Amino acid sequence: MSKQTRFLILLLALFFVTAWMLMLWRVPAVRSDIFTNPYLNLFTGYTLSILALAALILILTALLSSRENRWAYIDIRKLHGAVHAPGFFRLPKSADWFSFGRIAALVPAALTVLLKIFSLPGTAVFSFRSGELLVTLVLAGLYAAAMEIFFRYSLITLGMDANVRSGRIMIFCVVFSALSGYYFPMLGGFFGLLIGAAQGTLSARAMLDTRGTFWPWAIHFVQAFVMMAFTVVTA
């Protein structure tokens, strides 16, 4: 089987996974009733469900990828790497993800905050419980890890194997993230698409530049926590 065929198999699998993720949001494979907050139960069941899907994609990627690239992009210790951004951003040549990653992590999160604030009903009441926010923090971290396996690690690993140009790999990463943002009920619509595209662009660039998964995960984690926390505290 050629490497290009393996990459196409992954793309097909990810389209099915994206559709399956939307079904799992409505009918989670794992149900939770351990919390009084209904959204926290929903997030728990959904996150555990997609972790199982992420494990399948991780196994599929390991089976289809070369030994050289199999685990190359999943190393969380790689924090450094030159930032390769379009020229119109005017970043200094010395720009490194160790410093830029902290700023990049705030962009999708800030967009999510704006979307959530403007979509809140006038009767919304905030209820902060430290225990619920701590659970949300853990769930956001697990959710971000699963999504990065889906839409970054697998695509970049097999894309590099198939000698696909990094620009084209980024397009695939952004498209899947944008579709997820558009159809995912917690964001949804045009603004969800924009947030997904921004998050996908930054995470994909971070993984390609650092050959690691820490900054992609961190960018996704901060945005996921903001998204989940807003829903939990206004439930």
Side-chain angles (χ1 to χ4, degrees), residues 17 23-24 52 62 65 74 77 124 129-130 135 146 168 171 189 217 220:
V17 163
M23 292 173 58
L24 287 173
S65 59
I74 209 165
R77 298 168 299 176
R129 294 183 177 88
S130 58
V135 173
R168 293 181 180 177
I171 290 174
W217 172 83
H220 210 136

Side-chain angles (χ1 to χ4, degrees), residues 25-170:
W25 176 255
R26 292 169 176 81
V27 186
V30 179
R31 292 189 175 275
S32 170
D33 296 309
I34 59 178
F35 303 107
T36 56
N37 189 305
Y39 280 104
L40 205 53
N41 284 322
L42 180 60
F43 288 144
T44 300
Y46 182 69
T47 300
L48 293 176
S49 297
I50 66 168
L51 279 173
L53 277 179
L56 293 177
I57 291 296
L58 188 64
I59 293 170
L60 179 64
T61 303
L63 291 174
L64 294 177
S65 59
S66 67
R67 185 174 299 177
E68 177 187 359
N69 286 326
R70 186 167 297 155
W71 308 116
Y73 291 91
I74 209 165
D75 192 338
I76 64 171
R77 298 168 299 176
K78 296 177 180 177
L79 306 181
H80 292 274
V83 180
H84 294 90
F88 56 80
F89 279 107
R90 299 180 182 238
L91 293 176
K93 292 183 179 180
S94 60
D96 188 274
W97 275 99
F98 187 75
S99 54
F100 181 74
R102 306 169 200 183
I103 301 171
L106 297 178
V107 175
L111 292 173
T112 303
V113 168
L114 291 175
L115 175 62
K116 288 295 184 180
I117 288 176
F118 285 109
S119 61
L120 281 175
T123 56
V125 177
F126 287 84
S127 176
F128 293 92
R129 294 183 177 88
S130 58
E132 290 184 349
L133 288 177
L134 182 60
V135 173
T136 303
L137 194 72
V138 174
L139 291 175
L142 295 174
Y143 172 83
M147 296 297 281
E148 289 308 307
I149 290 172
F150 289 143
F151 299 143
R152 247 70 64 189
Y153 166 71
S154 60
L155 283 167
I156 290 174
T157 298
L158 290 180
M160 285 299 183
D161 269 358
N163 295 318
V164 179
R165 292 183 179 179
S166 61
R168 293 181 180 177
I169 294 175
M170 279 196 64

Side-chain angles (χ1 to χ4, degrees), residues 2 15 21 127 145 148 172:
S2 70
F15 274 113
M21 284 169 56
S127 176
E148 289 308 307
F172 286 116

